[in-house]
Amino acid sequence: MDNSKTSKIVRYMRTHTGITQMDAYDLCKATRLSSIIFDLKQRGYEIKTIYHPTKQSKYAEYQLTPAYKKYLAEKEKEEKKND
């Protein structure tokens, strides 16, 4: 992945519990996080959605599954080993 908004979001999700729309905006001015998450899921990323209720509505938090985080770490380790 390059230094795009998508790659920044994936890196953030790998090092944090999850990401919300506010996090994505603060991180890289991404205003359509749900679209980025949809694209990642289409590419095979295992992402779960957690809805947090507020008094007037709810907001989504997107999290990489623990197994997929482990897979990405192993893949990165293998790529570094082969370089």
Side-chain angles (χ1 to χ4, degrees):
M1 257 186 221
D2 57 10
N3 200 26
S4 67
K5 290 179 183 181
T6 301
S7 61
K8 288 178 183 178
I9 288 169
V10 170
R11 280 195 303 271
Y12 186 93
M13 290 173 66
R14 288 181 65 188
T15 58
H16 294 79
T17 304
I19 190 165
T20 66
Q21 179 61 57
M22 291 299 291
D23 296 329
Y25 187 79
D26 290 342
L27 178 67
C28 59
K29 304 298 184 246
T31 57
R32 293 285 296 128
L33 178 60
S34 61
S35 176
I36 293 170
I37 296 299
F38 178 83
D39 291 340
L40 288 170
K41 287 180 177 181
Q42 292 296 309
R43 291 192 221 172
Y45 282 73
E46 295 175 9
I47 300 171
K48 61 183 178 178
T49 306
I50 310 295
Y51 291 101
H52 298 279
T54 66
K55 288 184 178 183
Q56 297 162 342
S57 64
K58 62 184 174 180
Y59 67 93
E61 177 184 10
Y62 302 100
Q63 301 176 351
L64 288 171
T65 64
Y68 201 71
K69 274 189 176 183
K70 183 178 178 181
Y71 165 77
L72 289 174
E74 290 171 358
K75 183 178 171 184
E76 182 179 53
K77 185 178 178 181
E78 187 65 31
E79 287 174 357
K80 286 183 180 181
K81 182 179 172 184
N82 290 334
D83 285 343

